[in-house]
Amino acid sequence: MSDFKSNFWSLYVTGITVVSILACLLLLWFSGKAKAMTVSDNTTGHVWDGDLREMNNPLPRWWAWLFVITIVFAFIYLSLYPGLGTYPGKLGWTSTGQHQAEVDKGNAEVAPLYAKFAAMKPEDVAQDPQAMAIGERLFMNNCAQCHGSDARGNKGFPNLTDNDWLGGGTPEIIKANITNGRNGMMPPMAAAVGNADDVKNVAQYVLSLSGSPHDSVQASLGKSKFTACAACHGMDGKGNQALGAPNLTDDIWLHGYGEAAILAMVNNGKVNQMPAQADKLTESQIHVLASYVWGLSNKSGATAK
């Protein structure tokens, strides 16, 4: 993409900005020099309502100097702060830098509070009411947009309150997923399965694995074709957490239920991504958040799944 980079827009913005300021300065100078045609009584000859006449008096000096000061301020500001294209300004100020400074300040203020929980096991943190209140706020601010405010997910976004985990549900795995993100991919498998009828038969067989309504004849025909899927999901269809392959024998359908949804997955494949949060949250915040998420499906304090 480097061939398409250009500094044209930087120069364009710089030019427009400088020309606009100079134009204001020129207009101010011209207005001070221009002389309007007047009559002997210093009026312009314009009359309204019969007796309201327009005088030809110059702007007050303080008013004119305000314009001058504004223009001088504009040049000083643009020399110190970004405003002329890619020119960073003498002070090196950026909005992202200011935001990061404010975030760092806030993190420093709450660091003593998080330090208390950082020394605790996730299972213990999940039993602490104060930690769970903090974890809930972290979840609402960073996770609820996808997983929902109740953490029960939606189509394409996993339910975090049940015991079904694509890649494992231990506190360590949850923490790693929050920190580094997670990419899930199912490649299109139609060509490996066979023809269109074979794909439909496999879909019926997948439905049969979970006890869902299905065509038993088509399911029996699809069983042998399921071997193309078994490399990830296993011959028994119970999935593989190491690969992130879902269990097909339960009644949990992340991307939709029924033959049509299964056909779409086999024919088109699917790519899912959970973004990494390491650049937004501190390690201590992630520890509390992971403990909160783990606690959602382990409310009784049971050992990690």
Side-chain angles (χ1 to χ4, degrees):
M1 295 296 292
S2 60
D3 293 339
F4 295 93
K5 290 183 179 179
S6 170
N7 62 349
F8 168 77
W9 290 111
S10 174
L11 296 176
Y12 176 81
V13 171
T14 301
I16 290 293
T17 303
V18 173
V19 168
S20 298
I21 297 174
L22 293 177
C24 292
L25 184 61
L26 181 63
L27 178 62
L28 181 64
W29 177 83
F30 179 78
S31 299
K33 294 294 184 179
K35 300 294 184 181
M37 296 295 295
T38 59
V39 294
S40 58
D41 59 356
N42 196 37
T43 63
T44 62
H46 299 157
V47 181
W48 292 271
D49 298 331
D51 59 354
L52 184 59
R53 300 178 181 275
E54 180 183 16
M55 301 296 292
N56 183 36
N57 293 325
L59 286 174
R61 285 187 176 275
W62 64 268
W63 196 341
W65 276 109
L66 279 179
F67 281 102
V68 174
I69 292 172
T70 301
I71 293 171
V72 172
F73 172 81
F75 280 115
I76 295 175
Y77 177 90
L78 291 174
S79 68
L80 297 177
Y81 294 94
L84 297 175
T86 57
Y87 174 68
K90 294 291 186 180
L91 298 181
W93 178 92
T94 63
S95 58
T96 54
Q98 180 176 341
H99 173 264
Q100 189 58 50
E102 293 175 357
V103 170
D104 293 341
K105 179 182 178 182
N107 288 339
E109 291 175 351
V110 299
L113 175 62
Y114 282 104
K116 167 188 173 182
F117 304 123
M120 298 168 59
K121 294 181 178 179
E123 295 85 350
D124 296 332
V125 177
Q127 302 302 317
D128 188 295
Q130 184 185 27
M132 290 301 91
I134 296 173
E136 182 180 19
R137 288 193 289 272
L138 288 171
F139 183 88
M140 295 298 291
N141 289 334
N142 300 279
C143 312
Q145 295 85 345
C146 294
H147 294 283
S149 58
D150 58 0
R152 294 185 179 276
N154 207 332
K155 183 178 180 180
F157 303 101
N159 182 351
L160 302 178
T161 65
D162 58 19
N163 292 314
D164 185 70
W165 296 92
L166 289 175
T170 65
E172 294 73 23
I173 292 177
I174 296 173
K175 185 182 296 186
N177 289 339
I178 295 174
T179 302
N180 305 316
R182 182 177 177 85
N183 292 317
M185 183 188 73
M186 173 178 168
M189 295 298 295
V193 170
N195 57 37
D197 289 335
D198 292 330
V199 174
K200 290 183 178 180
N201 293 338
V202 165
Q204 290 298 318
Y205 177 70
V206 170
L207 289 172
S208 73
L209 291 174
S210 59
S212 302
H214 63 279
D215 185 301
S216 59
V217 175
Q218 285 185 299
S220 63
L221 294 173
K223 183 176 182 179
S224 61
K225 296 295 183 179
F226 184 77
T227 55
C229 312
C232 294
H233 296 282
M235 287 302 299
D236 57 1
K238 292 187 176 181
N240 186 336
Q241 289 188 343
L243 299 176
N247 183 355
L248 303 178
T249 66
D250 56 22
D251 194 30
I252 298 174
W253 303 90
L254 180 60
H255 297 290
Y257 169 76
E259 182 187 64
I262 298 173
L263 289 176
M265 290 292 291
V266 176
N267 287 322
N268 305 320
K270 191 73 177 181
V271 176
N272 263 18
Q273 182 184 40
M274 174 182 166
Q277 302 295 316
D279 59 341
K280 296 174 60 180
L281 303 174
T282 66
E283 184 176 351
S284 298
Q285 289 174 326
I286 291 176
H287 179 69
V288 173
L289 178 56
S291 302
Y292 172 80
V293 172
W294 180 85
L296 292 173
S297 56
N298 293 271
K299 294 185 182 299
S300 62
T303 57
K305 299 190 292 293

